[in-house]
Amino acid sequence: MPKTNFQELLEAGAHFGHLKRKWNPNMEPYIFMEKNGIHIIDLQKTVVKIDEAAAAIKQIAKSGRKILFVATKKQAKELVAEQVKEVGMPYVTERWPGGMLTNFPTIRKAVKKMISIDKMMKDTSWDNLSKREKLQITRQRAKLDKVLGSISDLTRLPAALFVVDVLKEKIAVREAKKLGIPVFAIVDTNSNPEDIDFVIPANDDASQSIRIIVGEMCDAVKAGLSERKIEKDKEDATEEAPKKKAAKAEETSEE
C-alpha cells in the first residue's frame, strides 16, 4: 500500500487544530506549534498514524470482518457514506442509535422489521391494504431505513469502529470501549485521544481532510478484501487439484 501523501494533507488543511484555549492537553504530543492562537497539528505524525491505522484496517478486512464507520456531522456524512458504500462496509451517518452496540439484538430486530416490510410490499396481500395502512407502513419503513438502512448487512457486532470527531460521537466510542471493540478515529486538538486505540491527529472539521483520511481507510479495506479473495482462490485451486488428478487417473485406468 502506498504511503499517505504529506502534501495532500497540508493542502487539505488537515494541520489546522482548534483555538489554543479549547485544546485538550492530552493532544500535546501531536501538536507541532501554535500560530495566531491556533494549534497546528504535526502532520509528520499524522502520516505515520494514518499508515498504522490503514495497516490494521487492511488486516481486519482481510479476515472477513466488518468495520463500522461513524460520521454524523454535516460536513462528513455524505462524503463518508459515498466512500464507504463503495467498499461494502456498514456506516452510520444520520444519528447514532443509542445502544446500537451494547443492545445489538434490539437493533437487529428493527432491521428484520424493515426487511419484513420489504417482503410484505412485494406480496399480493399488500394490494388488499387500505391507502391509510399503506401510507403508515411506508412511513415506518422510511424512518427505519434512514437510521438503519446502511447497517442492514451487519449481522453481528463489528470488529472495529472508525469515527470522525470523537466528541460528537462520544456515545458510539463509549459503547465500543465497553465491549472491547477497537476504535480508529480522526482526533482534533480539542478532543481526548486516551480512549482511542488508533489515533489519527487531524482537522476533523475540514471536508477535504476527512475525505483524504477516510479515503485512505477505504483503500486499506479494498486491499484487504483483494488479498482475501486471492488467498481464497489459491485455497480453492489447491483443493481442486487432487480431485482433477484423481479424475484424470480414473479416466486413464478406464482406457
Side-chain angles (χ1 to χ4, degrees):
M1 283 175 60
K3 296 289 181 184
T4 307
N5 190 306
F6 179 95
Q7 191 60 34
E8 277 185 16
L9 288 171
L10 188 66
E11 288 170 5
H15 57 298
F16 290 120
H18 284 263
L19 291 169
K20 184 185 174 183
R21 60 186 170 82
K22 290 186 176 182
W23 83 313
N24 187 306
N26 290 321
M27 282 298 288
E28 188 174 5
Y30 305 109
I31 293 171
F32 178 66
M33 64 179 287
E34 176 207 330
K35 188 176 181 182
N36 301 327
I38 293 171
H39 275 135
I40 303 299
I41 295 163
D42 187 343
L43 286 186
Q44 295 287 4
K45 290 183 178 178
T46 303
V47 167
V48 171
K49 291 295 184 181
I50 288 174
D51 291 338
E52 283 177 5
I57 277 184
K58 177 185 168 185
Q59 290 307 312
I60 293 170
K62 187 178 175 180
S63 71
R65 294 172 295 165
K66 299 284 186 181
I67 300 110
L68 177 60
F69 287 75
V70 186
T72 62
K73 66 196 301 178
K74 189 179 178 182
Q75 60 270 53
K77 58 199 297 183
E78 284 186 16
L79 65 91
V80 169
E82 177 190 318
Q83 288 180 304
V84 177
K85 200 183 291 182
E86 283 184 11
V87 295
M89 287 292 160
Y91 58 91
V92 174
T93 54
E94 285 307 317
R95 69 172 178 81
W96 179 261
M100 164 141 181
L101 299 177
T102 52
N103 197 11
F104 190 67
T106 302
I107 296 295
R108 281 304 302 164
K109 280 180 188 174
V111 170
K112 284 175 183 174
K113 173 71 177 172
M114 186 173 71
I115 294 167
S116 70
I117 289 173
D118 288 343
K119 286 180 182 175
M120 184 200 303
M121 291 169 83
K122 291 173 184 174
D123 197 83
T124 51
S125 59
W126 177 254
D127 298 327
N128 299 326
L129 297 176
S130 66
K131 282 186 179 179
R132 182 187 173 86
E133 286 172 321
K134 283 181 182 177
L135 185 61
Q136 285 176 335
I137 293 169
T138 304
R139 281 178 179 167
Q140 184 187 15
R141 205 277 178 211
K143 191 177 177 182
L144 287 168
D145 184 61
K146 189 174 183 180
V147 181
L148 304 172
S150 57
I151 59 159
S152 57
D153 293 334
L154 192 65
T155 54
R156 59 177 177 167
L157 284 170
L161 231 63
F162 183 92
V163 173
V164 175
D165 193 337
V166 295
L167 278 180
K168 186 167 179 61
E169 315 300 349
K170 59 187 177 186
I171 298 170
V173 173
R174 197 182 305 140
E175 288 190 32
K177 295 312 293 177
K178 191 175 180 180
L179 296 171
I181 296 171
V183 178
F184 297 71
I186 299 175
V187 186
D188 213 326
T189 58
N190 65 334
S191 304
N192 187 358
E194 288 193 327
D195 287 335
I196 309 304
D197 300 279
F198 291 85
V199 175
I200 299 173
N203 184 339
D204 65 8
D205 291 311
S207 57
Q208 275 306 107
S209 171
I210 297 165
R211 184 184 292 279
I212 290 170
I213 295 167
V214 173
E216 291 287 344
M217 299 306 117
C218 288
D219 285 346
V221 170
K222 281 181 193 172
L225 292 174
S226 177
E227 284 189 15
R228 179 177 171 79
K229 186 179 183 303
I230 289 166
E231 286 187 6
K232 192 174 184 306
D233 289 346
K234 279 182 183 176
E235 282 174 16
D236 290 346
T238 305
E239 286 174 11
E240 198 64 33
K243 291 178 186 177
K244 285 183 179 178
K245 194 175 180 181
K248 194 173 181 180
E250 193 176 328
E251 283 176 14
T252 307
S253 63
E254 283 176 3
E255 288 173 3

